[in-house]
């Protein structure tokens, strides 16, 4: 496996890590060799034992820019210590408490290897996202109800599927119900099922989504949109672990892992009496939150390339120009990953060459730095304008070259008047761009 593991000095109770890792055929190095970069950060797993020299090790994490470089750091800490929180804050993605079993080490390694392997449906480059995936994998191994929160388009549904895939239920159904998309009057019958004739229009027996998800996972998407009456019925199903089909007195025993998701603040909904407090606590057993994309910028470019690969034709070359990369990183992505996906898909269609330039991205420039302070705003906006101009200048030069410097032909191919071209060339000249090519006389 093309992964290197770096290990700090280990306390006696942590020594078994070395044996397990070497059994996996992975190279192990002492931690002070990390800087030698035998493996790039994305392919490096670092074990740090905080049960000894905790302060020094925490300092080491900050000096070595664990967060910025996205190293995959796993810390070993005493149980019930504040060190876990401190280390996670410094960018650690997971933790172990000694004494740990061989199986626990294997589990943590598997979790980490999983999201380091290429070709996965989940992209997570920033340490914040990796923490979420590690937690999701831990959660996958339990039957606890999970509450996924995050702005629209952050990837809640993808994460729910990911949890299902990493659980022992992976070969059973994954069923998703969007509670906001179904009229309130129908939602109950859709969730719980009904017998023929139970209500007007019930022309045949119908299984509910709970029953369809039997032995598998049920995602209740946009749970905040459920009416208070239905919330009470849902609570009963979750507590009793059985469901009553409408029109039937016979409850059906359920074995379903429930994942609820929402882009609303459920705690606030409880305060506003829009969401039942008892149901909230029933769902919030294991909360997992996706951060908005603008708060995990290291994910943006890897995601962009993931979508390029998804949408570009086979054997076709498509890359992001440097200006496009910085523009994508600076943009504040109100629609999160879904918006990024649409942007890339559109840019692939709009581009005129193998590279995607800022103008192909078609991002609303005015809103690029709504979250930045004014100084940054000026700086970013001028950078954007400059990069847009550069794209235009490059395009004009290409056309000029093609026409061997003939301005009339160039203007025509650019779809502008010769006068407008003259103006643009003067502008380029004033910015120090050489518009006279070797062996070519501009007309
Ligand atoms: N980590 C990821 N890696 C690759 N693709 C992702 C990732 N996260 C999200 N996506 C893609 O982004 C899009 C939005 O994801 P998803 O539908 O899961 O978001 P959501 O949070 O459920 O949004 P909404 O609140 O609007 O329902 C999907 O097309 C999904 O494939
Ligand atoms: Mg969704």
């Amino acid at each position: 496996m093309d992964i290197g593991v770096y290990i700090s000095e280990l306390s006696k109770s942590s020594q078994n890590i070395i044996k397990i890792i070497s059994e996996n055929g992975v190279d192990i190095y002492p931690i002070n060799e990390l800087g030698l970069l035998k493996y790039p950060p994305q392919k490096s797993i670092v074990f740090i034992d905080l049960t000894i020299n905790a302060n020094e090790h925490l300092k080491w994490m900050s000096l070595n820019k664990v967060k910025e470089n996205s190293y995959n750091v796993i810390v070993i800490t005493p149980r019930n210590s504040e060190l876990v929180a401190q280390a996670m804050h410094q960018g650690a993605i997971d933790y172990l408490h000694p004494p740990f079993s061989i199986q626990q080490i294997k589990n943590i390694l598997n979790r980490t290897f999983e999201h380091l392997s290429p070709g996965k449906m989940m992209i997570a480059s920033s340490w914040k996202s990796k923490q979420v995936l590690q937690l999701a994998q831990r959660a996958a191994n339990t039957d606890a109800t999970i509450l996924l929160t995050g702005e629209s388009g952050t990837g809640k549904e993808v994460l729910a599927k990911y949890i299902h895939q990493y659980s022992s239920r992976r070969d059973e159904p994954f069923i998703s119900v969007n509670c906001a998309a179904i009229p309130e009057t129908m939602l109950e019958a859709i969730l719980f099922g009904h017998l023929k004739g139970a209500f007007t229009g019930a022309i045949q027996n119908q299984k509910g989504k709970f029953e369809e998800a039997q032995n598998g996972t049920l995602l209740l998407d946009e749970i905040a949109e459920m009416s208070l009456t239905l919330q009470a019925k849902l609570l009963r199903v979750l507590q009793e672990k059985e469901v009553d089909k409408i029109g039937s007195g016979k409850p059906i025993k359920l074995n379903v892992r429930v994942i609820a998701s929402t882009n609303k603040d459920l705690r606030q909904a409880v305060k506003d009496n829009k969401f039942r407090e008892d149901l909230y606590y029933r769902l919030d057993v294991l909360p997992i939150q996706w951060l908005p994309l603008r708060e995990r910028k290291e994910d943006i470019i890897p995601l962009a390339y993931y979508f390029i690969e998804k949408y570009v034709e086979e054997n076709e070359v498509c890359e992001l120009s440097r200006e496009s990369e910085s523009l994508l990183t600076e943009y504040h992505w109100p629609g999160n990953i879904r918006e990024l996906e649409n942007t890339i898909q559109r840019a692939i269609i709009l581009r005129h060459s193998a590279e995607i330039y800022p103008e192909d991205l078609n991002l609303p420039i005015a809103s690029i730095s709504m979250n930045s302070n004014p100084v940054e705003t000026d700086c970013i906006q001028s950078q954007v304008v400059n990069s847009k101009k550069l794209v235009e200048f490059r395009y004009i030069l290409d056309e000029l070259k093609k026409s061997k410097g003939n301005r009339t032909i160039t203007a025509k191919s650019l779809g502008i008047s010769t006068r407008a071209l003259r103006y643009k060339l003067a502008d380029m000249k004033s910015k120090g761009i050489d518009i006279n090519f070797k062996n070519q006389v501009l007309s």
Side-chain angles (χ1 to χ4, degrees):
M1 198 174 309
D2 203 14
I3 287 172
V5 174
Y6 297 80
I7 297 188
S8 77
E9 189 192 339
L10 294 177
S11 69
K12 251 202 172 121
S13 55
S14 309
Q15 299 280 341
N16 49 351
I17 290 183
I18 297 184
K19 187 168 165 282
I20 304 298
I21 294 175
S22 43
E23 276 171 8
N24 271 273
V26 174
D27 295 332
I28 306 179
Y29 303 95
I31 198 167
N32 54 12
E33 287 188 19
L34 184 68
L36 303 177
L37 272 187
K38 290 194 179 85
Y39 290 87
Q42 293 289 345
K43 295 275 180 190
S44 304
I45 302 178
V46 187
F47 277 91
I48 302 180
D49 192 345
L50 294 179
T51 61
I52 44 178
N53 303 335
N55 286 339
E56 246 172 68
H57 281 140
L58 284 172
K59 216 186 276 167
W60 182 94
M61 285 176 74
S62 121
L63 281 174
N64 283 277
K65 296 196 165 46
V66 160
K67 274 188 201 173
E68 294 83 344
N69 291 320
S70 303
Y71 286 113
N72 304 290
V73 172
I74 296 163
V75 288
I76 299 153
T77 71
R79 204 171 287 279
N80 300 328
S81 101
E82 278 180 13
L83 287 171
V84 175
Q86 285 178 27
M88 297 299 264
H89 187 68
Q90 285 290 344
I93 58 168
D94 214 332
Y95 54 89
L96 279 166
H97 299 310
F100 31 75
S101 64
I102 290 177
Q103 194 53 47
Q104 280 171 312
I105 302 174
K106 282 186 175 163
N107 289 348
I108 208 162
L109 279 174
N110 284 340
R111 282 204 291 274
T112 314
F113 286 152
E114 274 303 330
H115 70 248
L116 296 187
S117 359
K120 289 280 158 203
M121 60 166 190
M122 254 316 195
I123 306 293
S125 277
S126 83
W127 60 278
K128 291 174 185 169
S129 305
K130 286 182 192 172
Q131 281 184 351
V132 171
L133 291 197
Q134 297 282 118
L135 178 61
Q137 289 208 25
R138 275 177 191 248
N141 292 324
T142 71
D143 268 339
T145 307
I146 296 175
L147 179 62
L148 297 181
T149 54
E151 286 181 10
S152 184
T154 44
K156 297 183 291 295
E157 181 148 5
V158 187
L159 189 59
K161 284 188 190 142
Y162 179 87
I163 293 170
H164 175 72
Q165 266 188 8
Y166 282 100
S167 74
S168 55
R169 300 169 180 270
R170 70 183 71 87
D171 297 324
E172 304 292 340
F174 173 90
I175 305 285
S176 163
V177 184
N178 185 335
C179 303
I182 300 167
E184 200 195 312
T185 46
M186 282 170 66
L187 189 55
E188 181 178 356
I190 286 181
L191 284 177
F192 307 141
H194 59 79
L195 290 187
K196 185 177 169 181
F199 50 86
T200 328
I203 48 172
Q204 56 188 28
N205 291 349
Q206 183 68 48
K207 264 190 184 176
K209 295 288 178 188
F210 268 99
E211 212 182 332
E212 275 181 37
Q214 190 65 286
N215 300 320
T217 307
L218 177 66
L219 169 64
L220 298 174
D221 204 1
E222 309 216 28
I223 187 92
E225 308 309 317
M226 197 179 268
S227 72
L228 284 164
T229 331
L230 200 50
Q231 285 176 29
K233 291 183 181 165
L234 174 64
L235 179 66
R236 209 194 75 79
V237 171
L238 295 178
Q239 277 169 343
E240 308 296 324
K241 292 194 168 50
E242 55 185 35
V243 69
D244 276 323
K245 266 187 180 165
I246 304 176
S248 146
K250 255 203 295 174
I252 301 161
K253 273 269 158 237
L254 289 175
N255 170 20
V256 173
R257 137 74 72 76
V258 172
I259 302 181
S261 79
T262 178
N263 53 22
K264 298 265 162 63
D265 180 351
L266 268 197
R267 221 180 286 247
Q268 188 57 44
V270 171
K271 278 190 198 143
D272 298 342
N273 294 323
K274 293 197 174 116
F275 205 81
R276 287 181 70 108
E277 192 173 14
D278 44 10
L279 178 60
Y280 170 68
Y281 286 115
R282 191 73 193 66
L283 295 173
D284 195 42
V285 179
L286 234 167
I288 304 184
Q289 190 197 5
W290 259 143
L291 287 173
L293 194 51
R294 62 186 163 279
E295 287 178 34
R296 42 180 168 123
K297 286 182 181 289
E298 297 85 350
D299 288 348
I300 296 175
I301 301 305
L303 274 166
Y305 273 105
Y306 170 80
F307 292 129
I308 287 177
E309 220 163 278
K310 180 169 168 189
Y311 290 111
V312 93
E313 298 285 328
E314 223 177 303
N315 300 328
E316 216 184 320
V317 183
C318 181
E319 280 181 359
L320 294 165
S321 73
R322 256 220 320 253
E323 301 87 31
S324 294
E325 285 194 3
S326 56
L327 188 56
L328 289 171
T329 314
E330 289 311 326
Y331 183 58
H332 70 288
W333 299 111
N336 293 294
I337 299 178
R338 182 170 299 109
E339 186 184 6
L340 174 62
E341 182 167 2
N342 293 341
T343 302
I344 295 295
Q345 206 178 351
R346 189 176 53 218
I348 290 172
I349 300 166
L350 290 181
R351 79 203 155 112
H352 297 282
S353 68
E355 265 186 294
I356 291 179
Y357 289 106
E359 63 176 6
D360 306 326
L361 295 170
N362 219 354
L363 289 173
I365 294 176
S367 57
I368 275 170
S369 39
M370 256 166 54
N371 291 337
S372 317
N373 63 38
V375 181
E376 274 173 359
T377 309
D378 283 343
C379 159
I380 291 161
Q381 282 193 353
S382 65
Q383 192 183 325
V384 171
V385 172
N386 284 343
S387 53
K388 281 196 89 169
K389 270 244 183 299
L390 272 179
V391 174
E392 184 185 311
F393 290 167
R394 211 174 289 159
Y395 191 46
I396 294 174
L397 283 177
D398 281 345
E399 290 303 307
L400 261 178
K401 258 186 207 164
K402 268 193 233 157
S403 70
K404 297 201 167 49
N406 184 315
R407 292 187 186 188
T408 318
I409 297 175
T410 305
K412 213 168 176 185
S413 69
L414 290 171
I416 56 176
S417 66
T418 43
R419 211 177 129 189
L421 177 62
R422 220 177 307 134
Y423 170 77
K424 281 187 191 292
L425 288 175
D427 189 13
M428 287 160 75
K429 220 169 159 184
S430 75
K431 290 191 166 64
I433 293 172
D434 182 11
I435 55 169
N436 292 298
F437 311 109
K438 249 189 196 166
N439 307 326
Q440 283 171 2
V441 184
L442 294 177
S443 58

